[in-house]
Amino acid sequence: MRTTLPTDLPGDERGTLLNYLEAQRASVVRAALGLTEEQAAARPTASDLSVSGLIKHLAEAETNWLRMAQQRPSETRRDASNWHESFKLVGDETVPQMIAQWENATKELTEFVRGVPSLDDTFPLPDRPWFPKGAGVSIRWMLLHLIHETAQHAGHADIIRESLDGKTSYDLIGREQAAEAAAGERKPSA
């Protein structure tokens, strides 16, 4: 997981935006580090949000924005009858499954963004009450929106995690780095 942002390459706006988005994604996923399914589903604050629910929501949101940009229908259909399921795991869904789903969406979104001719390219927004009628947005706007939304939920995930067991994002970064260092020491040399 990314804990720091690489420095900018001059003129690489796409890379910079994608790096910022990846750093925020990693923050949310890191909040689940070492949690059981039950802990990840817990709602220890006044909010109904959970770490696992945030991961699912962001995986779905990123996929939905990608499909809008591709002008294709999304695989997940949400309406008033099932909107609440976008913020909690249902049935046999697990945190690793949701993280894998999000990673797939991430890979596809990155390939799509890298392949569009310009970040100024636009796509129409669907007819929804929260979007202006007939509006469209640029690929750049979509990336900035995803950074904003993911960062907002990363903050939520931090608060939830700290409420669960007192672990802050700094504690989790240290734990993650120690695990990566230990894994590197165990690798056989070539």
Side-chain angles (χ1 to χ4, degrees):
M1 280 182 254
R2 178 162 296 160
T3 56
T4 59
L5 288 171
T7 57
D8 291 348
L9 298 173
D12 187 16
E13 182 182 12
R14 288 173 209 245
T16 300
L17 293 171
L18 289 167
N19 282 332
Y20 267 87
L21 181 55
E22 178 56 29
Q24 296 309 314
R25 291 177 188 127
S27 294
V28 176
V29 172
R30 191 177 302 110
L33 188 64
L35 295 179
T36 65
E37 290 290 334
E38 293 75 25
Q39 289 171 314
R43 300 181 316 237
T45 67
S47 169
D48 278 340
L49 297 176
S50 69
V51 172
S52 61
L54 288 170
I55 291 169
K56 179 178 179 178
H57 167 69
L58 288 166
E60 287 187 7
E62 196 159 324
T63 300
N64 289 338
W65 276 101
L66 173 62
R67 296 297 178 250
M68 281 188 278
Q70 294 170 325
Q71 298 184 48
R72 293 176 34 201
S74 182
E75 298 84 350
T76 305
R77 305 282 183 183
R78 296 282 178 215
D79 59 30
S81 70
N82 65 0
W83 176 252
H84 65 285
E85 292 179 1
S86 68
F87 282 95
K88 70 178 184 177
L89 304 191
V90 295
D92 61 354
E93 294 175 332
T94 66
V95 172
Q97 288 171 339
M98 291 301 106
I99 291 171
Q101 180 180 326
W102 197 6
E103 287 172 347
N104 289 336
T106 293
K107 181 180 178 196
E108 190 177 351
L109 182 119
T110 299
E111 289 171 3
F112 175 80
V113 168
R114 291 244 181 243
V116 294
S118 170
L119 293 179
D120 293 325
D121 288 1
T122 62
F123 58 92
L125 293 174
D127 184 22
R128 302 284 188 274
W130 49 88
F131 293 139
K133 286 241 183 259
V137 296
S138 68
I139 301 299
R140 179 182 296 103
W141 187 98
M142 175 188 72
L143 285 171
L144 291 168
H145 172 76
L146 287 170
I147 292 166
H148 170 82
E149 181 168 5
T150 308
Q152 180 181 24
H153 289 315
H156 295 143
D158 283 345
I159 291 168
I160 293 166
R161 178 59 189 257
E162 193 169 354
S163 297
L164 285 170
D165 64 4
K167 297 279 190 284
T168 68
S169 60
Y170 295 114
D171 297 325
L172 297 171
I173 288 169
R175 181 177 174 180
E176 182 179 65
Q177 289 173 337
E180 289 171 357
E185 291 172 6
R186 288 191 299 266
K187 288 184 181 177
S189 56

